Amino acid sequence: MARQTMQQAVVAGIAEEMRRDAGVFIMGLDIGQFGGPLNSCKGLWEEFGAARVIDTPISEGGIVGAGVGAALMGKRPIVDIMFLEYLGLVLQQLGCDGGAMHYYSDGKARVPLVVRAKFGVGPYHGHAYDYHAWVAHLPGIKVAMPSNARDAKGMVKAAIRDDNPVLFLEHMGLYHGTRDEIPEGDIVVPLGEAKLVRAGRDVTVVAIGAMVRRAQLAGEALAEEGVEIEILDLRCIVPLDKERILSSVAKTGRMVVVSEAMKFCGSGAEIAAMVAEEGFRFLKAPIGRVATPNVPIPFARNLEKMIIPDENAIAAGVRRAMATG
Amino acid sequence: MSNRNETWIALHRLMLATRELDRVIGAADGHWHPALGEEAVVAGCYHGLRQGDALVPHYRGMIAASYARGGDLARLLAGLEGKATSYTRGRYRSDVCGPIEFGIIGLYSGALGPTLEYAAGAALAAKLDARGGVALAVFGDGTASRGNFHEALNLAAVLCLPVVFVCQNNQFAISTSSAREHGGRIVDRAAGFGVPGQLVDGNDVVAVHDAVQGAIARARRGEGPALIDAFTYRVGGHMASDPGNYRSSEEVEKWKARDPIALHEARLLSEGVLDAAKIAELRAAVSAEVEAAMRKAQSDPMPGPEVLGLDRVFAGGV
Ligand SMILES: Cc1ncc(C[n+]2csc(CCOP(=O)(O)OP(=O)(O)O)c2C)c(N)n1
């Protein structure tokens, strides 16, 4: 059993898959000798060499496009685009084209491509934007966002083995943070399975990424008030684990969706709508959303921190749900 | 028959098929994008690739490219209307996207440009396999204005990828002429990427074919990408229904006089490869084949609602 940070766990997962399958390779900017931004690829170049750990020019669209092309020819490329802030530069290749190819070819084209991107408010200042909803809206592409090192390793391995394009999101606030016990052996966390991280009878709190830990903190504070929340770590936005969300809401009768992404048209809106549509009969109170307001993420450290939901905002959202039904 | 003669006849056949496709489809569909006058680029590029090579065609000429790689003509034509018998059961259109099972990467959206990057990636896969595979990417002069062109060429140059880029330079992007599309010649950009560039007469099918095959051979040897500027002219409108009245009829007539099919036919005759009777026979055979395929495609059924399912949105389902 090793204790690893999320950064170490993701790199270890990639290295294992590269050893296991010669068709796996990785490309991106400064991922070779430099080790990748925030050490996102540290050690890969030393082990696998420049042929499979490929440094590229600043051409995000070009390298994601090349990833699509190589994937169509049977490889399993991983493309590190550094930051999710650059998602707009690769949407055509990754989402509009890459996501549609399997359907449009009636199942004959496969695009086993992983695009890695870092985001989120954390020690690394800037590049915080969480734009994942753009991609969640496009058919044929999976969206994964681990909340801890163990899941990160298991999910990156599942993403590499998946025959579809996967947007794999690495939160910079979690990246070099707490270490987790990583079990030995081939751990693979299937994409699309939410995880119960706290059981409770009163309110279902759906969270993802860095919001999971904050929801746990809120849960501890609320327990002192006699309110027991049930926390689901979604882990993936696509595929969405509808069953686990609905069965939790069936038990609690209340739901608060927490998201670091902007509220308007964010993926939290889809989860709320899904439960309103398919689980209305379970609800005792209006569904609540705790999310970032619709403004560009401000730069100043304190503002940046203030705008993202914290445990107090989550607890307040839960109290509202309790007060309204 | 010598190899050369066989190739010349195959090139002629593919040019004739390209023109017949334009005639037959254009009559049925005003939205069809004809390659009239550009047949030498189409045939010169798409004839003679190896199994396992990746072909990334320009949309104008996509059906001919798919046919050249072994696609069934009736099924390809069924794809124009999304018939049930098409290669995708009506889920996508065949006029811009050839079947992947023939090693073709088409346009999976209307957006021009990204296919050049897919070609670079296909070449990267070939390079990693080290089996001498290559990718061939063909694109319009208008598409060359996209950033994708620059990113793909630069990436291919830096990584020394086995990919050949051919500009099907018909001097127009819809109504936008070359003069308003780019500030210099496309072939001259090659130097900026540090790759060899070659300007060829895009109305001479043998010149195009030899240039493309030369660049492919070089790429197979591991010497990296090349850019070919196949200079021709779009004799027809952008679409079958476009009168193209934004250019002078003198200009069009001047290019019509350099008809690539007539030029190659004259060569076949003068070099004694085919006589007039054989040429007429070839024309009639190609015409009959295209017409029969179109009749079949037109009588084929449209897809049923079963094609609308969520199956095959995700490989392996969700
Ligand atoms: C990114 C993008 N912008 C605009 C269009 C609309 N469009 C379709 S065909 C075309 C002209 C393309 O010109 P060129 O690449 O020279 O090819 P040609 O039509 O001349 O064969 C345009 C602008 C498109 N398909 N994709």
Side-chain angles (χ1 to χ4, degrees), chain B residues 38-240:
Chain B
E38 304 171 38
E39 294 89 347
V41 184
V42 172
C45 286
Y46 302 141
H47 173 71
L49 285 172
R50 281 192 202 160
Q51 187 84 28
D53 288 341
L55 177 58
V56 186
H58 184 37
Y59 78 91
R60 196 184 294 282
M62 184 66 73
I63 299 263
S66 309
Y67 173 61
R69 288 226 94 181
D72 175 77
L73 208 45
R75 291 190 71 188
L76 292 168
L77 293 174
L80 294 171
E81 281 186 65
K83 294 288 182 76
T85 51
S86 71
Y87 280 99
T88 67
R89 292 188 303 155
R91 280 189 163 180
Y92 204 46
R93 52 195 288 188
S94 61
D95 60 334
V96 302
C97 190
I100 187 99
E101 52 268 51
F102 297 107
I104 293 175
I105 304 176
L107 276 74
Y108 283 87
S109 70
L112 292 164
T115 57
L116 300 192
E117 298 158 347
Y118 307 152
L124 176 56
K127 183 175 170 157
L128 289 167
D129 283 339
R131 283 198 220 107
V134 298
L136 173 64
V138 185
F139 55 95
D141 46 298
T143 306
S145 299
R146 294 294 326 271
N148 311 96
F149 167 90
H150 300 272
E151 294 199 13
L153 261 106
N154 188 51
L155 190 65
V158 168
L159 300 181
C160 194
L161 300 178
V163 52
V164 174
F165 296 97
V166 180
C167 183
Q168 184 171 327
N169 189 345
N170 65 12
Q171 305 184 54
F172 280 91
I174 309 185
S175 71
T176 306
S177 65
S178 287
R180 286 183 294 134
E181 187 70 48
H182 22 77
R185 295 191 313 168
I186 285 164
V187 65
D188 293 335
R189 296 183 192 173
F193 297 112
V195 307
Q198 189 179 352
L199 185 65
V200 298
D201 178 354
N203 285 36
D204 180 343
V205 71
V206 172
V208 174
H209 187 65
D210 288 352
V212 172
Q213 289 298 316
I216 285 177
R218 184 178 171 278
R220 281 199 211 286
R221 291 195 301 269
E223 291 170 40
L227 173 65
I228 292 169
D229 186 347
F231 197 74
T232 180
Y233 191 81
R234 198 193 73 206
V235 167
H238 170 62
M239 305 189 289

Side-chain angles (χ1 to χ4, degrees), chain A residues 25 51 54 57 59 61-62 65-66 69-70 73 75 92-93 97 101-104 106 108 110 140-142 164, chain B residues 87-89 91-92 100-101 108-109 111 117-118 121-122 124-125 128-129 148 151 154-155 159 312-315 318:
Chain A
F25 70 95
I54 304 171
S59 297
M73 300 305 286
K75 298 288 167 211
Q92 185 69 46
Q93 296 87 341
D97 290 13
M101 286 174 173
H102 190 66
Y103 180 86
Y104 272 162
D106 201 26
K108 285 168 274 194
R110 277 166 198 261
I141 161 159
K142 298 187 179 179
N164 300 282
Chain B
Y87 280 99
T88 67
R89 292 188 303 155
R91 280 189 163 180
Y92 204 46
I100 187 99
E101 52 268 51
Y108 283 87
S109 70
E117 298 158 347
Y118 307 152
L124 176 56
L128 289 167
D129 283 339
N148 311 96
E151 294 199 13
N154 188 51
L155 190 65
L159 300 181
R312 301 176 197 168
V313 174
F314 287 97
V318 271

